[in-house]
Amino acid sequence: MMREKNNSLEQFLCEIKQEWFDILDYWAESTIDKYNGGFYSEISNTSEVSSEIAKGVVLNTRILWTFSSAYNHSKNERYLEIAKRAFDYILAFFLDHENGGLFWAVDAAGEVVNDRKQAYAQGFGIYAFSEYYKASNDENSLKQAINLFHLLESKYKDKEFGGYIEALGRDWQMLDDMRLSEKDANEPKSMNTNLHIIEPYTNLYRVWNNAEVKNSIKDLLSIFYDRILNQQTFQFQLFFDMDWTVKSNEISFGHDIESAWLLSDAARVIHDEKWIEKMETIAVQVTDKVIHDGMDRDGSVFYEKIDGVIDKDKHWWVQAEAIIGLVDIYKITGNKKYLDRAIQIWTFVKANIKDGKGGEWFWRVDAAGKPVASDCKVGFWKCPYHNTRALIESYSRLKE
């Protein structure tokens, strides 16, 4: 019996490592825009390229992070070359050289078509630039990450109630519509944006041991613990007024389990024992809640719950975050049931989410397990960051 269990783990490790390479190969071979520069903005599930659709900063910074991280783990020079392509494109077209910060979108020729500056986007700039600095030792990349950190602290940080507001305009003016996407509530603060600020701050701290960054991470840990987490239900609330009054009733299963492991990771990176204990305890409670409320019988994770109704689609990023989230809880507790669930989700991904013919993962499958035809394989939000990170982080933790 023990040998079978070990074989199951070894098979899991072998498969997720190979899948990591396969996804990287897809992006390296299928997404480079040789005509306009950078990367294609959209590729359909049937491999049709839409080269004239606007290019988003989120996709491009996530590509930069992905291939920088890939180089850092593998030392494959091919990955570093692709990371440099992404870095150069971001600096040339997304960076506001006059006012600072990153624009939201450019057209195929690189002209700015949406000049709003989401805090979320600045965060992913930090995440990508700090990872690329680690890969390349390019001091300019570290400089760009630090510049964006100071912008978030000076322009977006709420000095009265804590946390960070959603968005500002090109010249740092307030916006009437602060939404990150059309499906989001138009509120000044969100769990999602603040999560993706503590995430890059943690990565920046890995390469720039700065007291201000550390203190900002602690501030955000406190915000998540005291304001964003519902400590009765062990779920993270999503949208807020300036004073952290809750303005939503949605439950995002993917964001819950993603937050659980990212917050624990932040506490560990800054070596704060108090916060490590708090966040690892919360991570177990939040993950158990996702298992209870958000998992289907086959082990896959539903998308979200609104007004008590569960959206039963299975999104690629939710499955990815659930895999690494469960592996992280397994490492915290030593309880193999969490590892078994992670392997179960991976089995679901192989059978349903992974595109065995076209490569990469489908955006989502419906309740019947069928890919949604209108979705894209590459797009403004469909990127290689969730799944490659889940795979390599899970592999690295389990090989320790």
Side-chain angles (χ1 to χ4, degrees):
M1 181 65 70
M2 183 60 69
R3 181 173 297 173
E4 290 179 6
K5 290 181 179 179
N6 288 339
N7 286 345
S8 176
L9 175 58
E10 288 306 313
Q11 180 181 348
F12 178 55
L13 289 170
C14 181
E15 287 179 355
I16 63 175
K17 185 177 182 180
Q18 184 58 52
E19 182 66 11
W20 179 63
F21 286 127
D22 289 347
I23 294 171
L24 292 169
D25 283 347
Y26 172 88
W27 286 82
E29 294 165 6
S30 302
T31 69
I32 292 177
D33 186 344
K34 296 179 181 178
Y35 180 76
N36 293 307
F39 303 85
Y40 290 131
S41 50
E42 187 171 299
I43 301 176
S44 72
N45 279 347
T46 55
S47 301
E48 296 173 2
V49 175
S50 299
S51 58
E52 297 305 310
I53 292 176
K55 299 186 177 190
V57 67
V58 173
L59 175 62
N60 282 269
T61 51
R62 287 176 172 184
I63 290 172
L64 175 56
W65 178 87
T66 295
F67 281 96
S68 299
S69 172
Y71 176 78
N72 288 330
H73 281 96
S74 71
K75 303 307 177 186
N76 185 326
E77 292 291 335
R78 181 193 190 197
Y79 300 150
L80 187 58
E81 290 173 6
I82 295 172
K84 186 177 188 309
R85 180 185 187 86
F87 178 70
D88 291 344
Y89 190 86
I90 292 166
L91 291 193
F93 298 106
F94 286 105
L95 183 64
D96 183 346
H97 294 274
E98 180 180 356
N99 299 304
L102 298 172
F103 296 124
W104 189 240
V106 301
D107 65 14
E111 295 295 323
V112 176
V113 293
N114 190 332
D115 63 2
R116 67 191 292 117
K117 293 174 181 174
Q118 297 286 152
Y120 186 99
Q122 316 314 309
F124 269 100
I126 295 170
Y127 198 53
F129 290 144
S130 54
E131 194 71 19
Y132 183 64
Y133 170 70
K134 184 179 178 182
S136 66
N137 292 315
D138 186 332
E139 291 290 337
N140 187 33
S141 193
L142 179 60
K143 174 186 173 184
Q144 297 299 334
I146 293 171
N147 286 345
L148 291 176
F149 166 73
H150 288 310
L151 279 177
L152 280 171
E153 294 298 297
S154 63
K155 305 292 187 182
Y156 298 83
K157 192 168 190 175
D158 181 353
K159 304 302 192 295
E160 182 176 2
F161 296 108
Y164 300 78
I165 63 170
E166 291 294 295
L168 293 168
R170 184 182 194 128
D171 301 328
W172 311 114
Q173 72 273 22
M174 294 297 295
L175 299 175
D176 293 329
D177 186 347
M178 304 177 77
R179 292 176 299 171
L180 184 64
S181 72
E182 291 182 358
K183 73 179 292 292
D184 290 338
N186 186 21
E187 300 295 343
K189 292 177 181 175
S190 74
M191 174 268 223
N192 192 19
T193 287
N194 281 272
L195 177 65
H196 293 296
I197 290 176
I198 195 171
E199 169 193 43
Y201 280 12
T202 301
N203 212 41
L204 178 60
Y205 190 75
R206 288 186 173 104
V207 296
W208 188 49
N209 192 336
N210 176 272
E212 188 179 357
V213 177
K214 184 175 184 178
N215 288 334
S216 292
I217 291 171
K218 287 184 179 181
D219 289 345
L220 277 167
L221 289 172
S222 181
I223 288 291
F224 269 88
Y225 189 80
D226 295 328
R227 301 291 190 177
I228 298 177
L229 177 69
N230 183 326
Q231 297 196 21
Q232 281 69 54
T233 66
F234 302 114
Q235 293 165 316
F236 291 102
Q237 297 157 128
L238 296 185
F239 298 102
F240 307 85
D241 209 337
M242 287 296 291
D243 64 0
W244 294 103
T245 299
V246 179
K247 306 291 284 187
S248 61
N249 63 359
E250 299 98 322
I251 300 299
S252 173
F253 299 118
H255 283 117
D256 277 354
I257 203 163
E258 181 183 22
S259 298
W261 81 266
L262 283 175
L263 295 173
S264 296
D265 200 48
R268 291 190 289 257
V269 167
I270 63 172
H271 304 293
D272 188 301
E273 293 300 326
K274 179 194 78 170
W275 279 115
I276 291 171
E277 182 179 358
K278 275 190 173 184
M279 287 304 165
E280 290 189 346
T281 299
I282 288 298
V284 176
Q285 294 167 321
V286 169
T287 301
D288 283 342
K289 186 67 172 176
V290 171
I291 291 170
H292 185 270
D293 290 2
M295 279 193 170
D296 204 348
R297 292 180 180 180
D298 58 12
S300 58
V301 182
F302 297 125
Y303 182 48
E304 63 185 4
K305 182 166 65 173
I306 302 177
D307 294 327
V309 179
I310 292 178
D311 180 340
K312 295 186 177 182
D313 285 353
K314 315 292 176 60
H315 289 235
W316 103 97
W317 72 269
V318 176
Q319 313 314 311
E321 295 299 340
I323 290 171
I324 175 56
L326 287 160
V327 168
D328 198 57
I329 298 302
Y330 166 65
K331 294 294 291 185
I332 290 170
T333 65
N335 191 329
K336 191 174 177 293
K337 73 177 183 180
Y338 296 109
L339 176 60
D340 290 341
R341 288 190 179 277
I343 294 174
Q344 190 177 18
I345 295 173
W346 168 239
T347 301
F348 175 85
V349 168
K350 286 189 296 180
N352 298 277
I353 302 286
K354 178 181 176 179
D355 183 354
K357 294 181 179 179
E360 241 283 355
W361 295 9
F362 294 115
W363 184 311
R364 58 179 167 158
V365 296
D366 61 21
K370 296 181 179 179
V372 177
S374 60
D375 287 343
C376 57
K377 192 79 65 69
V378 172
F380 202 96
W381 293 100
K382 181 63 168 65
C383 59
Y385 132 90
H386 288 287
N387 48 9
T388 59
R389 183 175 69 175
L391 296 167
I392 198 60
E393 288 285 343
S394 296
Y395 182 87
S396 299
R397 280 164 166 74
L398 292 170
K399 291 295 286 186
E400 288 177 351

